[in-house]
């Protein structure tokens, strides 16, 4: 079953614009991670934010986490055509396992 | 370090057959997880192996099974294939030290088509 729900399902922007994707989840988490997937290939890890963190940056990526609202957002600044991909949030519980529960993803299209 | 590798990359089978997919994790990683990705259901967790033992299992029928070898390589097997098993099967490895939700490193996937 899906834990995370991304919003929007699809997003189309121009190069140079910012892209914001949101993720909501249902149960308590240990951490939340964002992954990128290019057209039917494997997933690439982007960033991990722990439940006691509120914001994290990595290059052009900014992730926020609000555990009271059970939501997270991923901001990609100054988007490039190469950012075109599907983006997934994944939550990790406190089970002690490596298991991640993924949302259905946001498809981002960045046009030149 | 070499990344996670999966073989084969593409596979076509017919209903009723069985299939075995292979995954070689990043050197030093002891945990291997398998996920099924379909357009309708998205990414769903199948199972996780650590030190040759299944440590966690998703909600899939018993036709889906797996194992892990002493070198951490893993295989998953699907018996009596159904049309709905057509999917991208992704393998991911992590250090597996029992930490909650470690970063996982994914292979390119095996795309299975069942006719």
């Amino acid at each position: 079953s899906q834990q995370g729900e991304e919003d929007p399902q699809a997003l189309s922007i121009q190069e140079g614009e910012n892209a914001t994707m949101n993720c909501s989840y249902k149960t308590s988490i240990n951490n939340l991670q964002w992954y990128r997937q290019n057209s039917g290939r494997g997933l690439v890890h982007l960033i991990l934010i722990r439940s006691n963190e509120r914001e994290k940056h990595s290059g052009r990526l900014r992730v926020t986490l609000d555990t009271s609202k059970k939501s997270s957002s991923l901001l990609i600044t100054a988007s490039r055509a190469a950012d075109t991909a599907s983006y997934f949030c994944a939550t990790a519980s406190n089970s002690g396992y490596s298991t991640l529960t993924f949302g259905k993803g946001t498809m981002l299209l960045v046009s030149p | 370090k070499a990344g996670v590798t999966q073989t084969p990359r593409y596979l076509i089978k017919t209903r009723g057959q069985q299939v075995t997919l292979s995954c070689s994790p990043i050197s030093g990683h002891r945990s291997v997880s398998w996920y099924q990705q379909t357009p309708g259901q998205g990414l769903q967790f199948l199972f996780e192996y650590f030190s040759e033992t299944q440590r966690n299992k998703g909600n899939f029928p018993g036709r889906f099974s797996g194992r892990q070898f002493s070198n951490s390589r893993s295989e998953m097997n699907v018996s009596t294939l159904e049309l709905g098993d057509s999917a991208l099967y992704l393998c991911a490895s992590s250090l597996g030290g029992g930490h909650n939700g470690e970063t996982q490193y994914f292979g390119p996937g095996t795309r299975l088509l069942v006719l």
Side-chain angles (χ1 to χ4, degrees), chain A residues 31 33 35 37 96-99 104, chain B residues 37 40 56 98 100-101 104 107:
Chain A
N31 66 63
Q33 303 177 33
Y35 287 80
Q37 184 180 38
Y97 302 133
S98 302
T99 307
K104 290 206 170 184
Chain B
Q37 186 177 28
N56 198 10
N100 297 304
Q104 296 197 9

Side-chain angles (χ1 to χ4, degrees), chain A:
Chain A
S1 62
Q2 250 62 38
Q3 160 80 306
E5 293 286 337
E6 285 92 338
D7 169 59
Q9 289 187 326
L11 182 60
S12 182
I13 59 174
Q14 300 289 318
E15 261 190 333
E17 295 180 336
N18 295 342
T20 299
M21 288 159 264
N22 302 297
C23 167
S24 60
Y25 57 92
K26 298 173 184 173
T27 62
S28 62
I29 61 171
N30 177 275
N31 66 63
L32 184 144
Q33 303 177 33
W34 285 89
Y35 287 80
R36 183 187 74 214
Q37 184 180 38
N38 288 85
S39 190
R41 298 184 184 177
L43 279 74
V44 174
H45 179 259
L46 296 175
I47 196 164
L48 180 155
I49 186 165
R50 302 192 187 285
S51 60
N52 61 354
E53 297 176 308
R54 291 297 167 257
E55 187 171 312
K56 204 161 183 180
H57 296 253
S58 177
R60 294 183 297 112
L61 305 180
R62 172 177 168 253
V63 169
T64 62
L65 178 65
D66 186 336
T67 53
S68 67
K69 294 181 179 179
K70 291 188 169 57
S71 67
S72 173
S73 68
L74 170 67
L75 169 67
I76 304 174
T77 59
S79 296
R80 306 165 181 167
D83 294 328
T84 294
S86 290
Y87 291 82
F88 296 88
C89 69
T91 55
S93 70
N94 291 302
S95 62
Y97 302 133
S98 302
T99 307
L100 297 176
T101 305
F102 285 85
K104 290 206 170 184
T106 292
M107 291 180 58
L108 173 65
L109 174 63
V110 183
S111 302

